[in-house]
């Protein structure tokens, strides 16, 4: 198992911000939108399973949901473009 944190791209940051209704967000396509709903609804066991296929998106979603500065960090990434 890899312990490295995936790099979160500007697009992923914007999509996650949109999901949580935060400034700087951008609506993704319908597949990504539904995937984010699944990640948001998942318990930690299932979120980790999804991380295997979508490491960047799961990392960004969990940061936004659980980290005190998660939204701020995503906004900084989104503004970097």
């Amino acid at each position: 198992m890899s312990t490295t944190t995936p790099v979160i791209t500007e697009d992923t940051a914007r999509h996650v911000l949109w999901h949580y209704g935060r400034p700087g967000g951008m609506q993704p396509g319908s597949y990504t939108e539904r995937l984010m709903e699944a990640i948001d609804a998942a318990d930690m066991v299932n979120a980790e399973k999804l991380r295997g296929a979508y490491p960047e998106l799961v990392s960004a979603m969990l940061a936004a949901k659980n980290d005190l500065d998660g939204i701020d960090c995503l906004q900084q990434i989104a503004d970097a473009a």
Side-chain angles (χ1 to χ4, degrees):
M1 178 190 325
S2 174
T3 59
T4 60
T5 302
V7 173
I8 297 172
T9 63
E10 292 90 358
D11 281 346
T12 296
R14 288 186 189 113
H15 295 159
V16 173
L17 291 169
W18 175 87
H19 177 80
Y20 288 108
R22 304 306 290 264
M26 177 181 74
Q27 186 173 6
S30 61
Y31 179 82
T32 301
E33 192 174 336
R34 287 177 182 87
L35 182 58
M36 290 190 305
E37 291 170 4
I39 294 166
D40 198 23
D43 58 25
M44 288 308 292
V45 171
N46 287 303
E48 290 305 315
K49 289 177 183 178
L50 289 166
R51 187 189 302 269
Y54 305 99
E56 176 190 6
L57 186 56
V58 171
S59 292
M61 293 286 295
L62 293 181
K65 190 174 181 176
N66 299 322
D67 295 351
L68 290 176
D69 63 345
I71 294 292
D72 290 337
C73 289
L74 292 174
Q75 287 173 327
Q76 290 175 9
I77 292 168
D79 289 342

